[in-house]
Amino acid sequence: MNKKCVFAGTFDPPTTGHLKVIETSLKLFDEVVVAVMINAQKQPLLSENERCALLEKLFKDNPRVKVITFEGAVVDLLKRENTKFYVRGVRNTIDFEYENMNMFANKKLMDDIVTIYIPAEQDSLHISSTLVKNSIKFKKQYCEYIPEAILPELLKILEKKDV
């Protein structure tokens, strides 16, 4: 039986923390659907096409990773992808509390959902897309938080945006 999970987020931009969650998910599942979520309330630094392109480049040699965009409720995405497994990365107790609230809400909408928390490695506890965006904004170092395979493309995108 093919086991598939969904790992959804804004990935604005994709970080080494995201990469580690996906790599761990690949140890547990046959297929990982990485869903770039579209949220009208957020003002992302990168367009959804740019985020998808970076993730697709990052996993271009891995047919077990599928990158998509999605706008809507995660439970609808899980149903569309025909899986009940929803992966979440957690760095600390704040992330855990936030994800747990969402898990209980999602359970009301899809009672057979299985939420799997993947804890961050100790060296990744501080890494977030927000940290990267703030570092870009204030012209501070951030390259170590971006996977090497996509860093040149991200730098080109940011150069075009004059960030």
Side-chain angles (χ1 to χ4, degrees), residues 84-95:
K84 60 185 171 184
F85 299 107
Y86 185 42
V87 168
R88 305 305 299 147
V90 291
R91 293 169 297 211
N92 52 39
T93 56
I94 295 166
D95 282 356

Side-chain angles (χ1 to χ4, degrees), residues 38-99:
I38 301 166
N39 183 340
Q41 270 88 37
K42 288 189 175 183
Q43 291 293 332
L45 175 64
L46 306 176
S47 72
E48 61 251 20
N49 289 339
E50 291 166 333
R51 291 177 272 155
C52 278
L54 289 169
L55 287 162
E56 286 168 353
K57 169 133 176 93
L58 189 56
F59 295 101
K60 69 179 173 44
D61 296 326
N62 194 330
R64 295 174 51 212
V65 176
K66 177 171 89 170
V67 178
I68 63 168
T69 59
F70 190 79
E71 184 172 14
V74 166
V75 294
D76 294 332
L77 172 58
L78 291 169
K79 289 174 186 170
R80 188 183 88 179
E81 290 297 325
N82 194 29
T83 185
K84 60 185 171 184
F85 299 107
Y86 185 42
V87 168
R88 305 305 299 147
V90 291
R91 293 169 297 211
N92 52 39
T93 56
I94 295 166
D95 282 356
F96 179 78
E97 291 296 326
Y98 174 79
E99 295 299 342

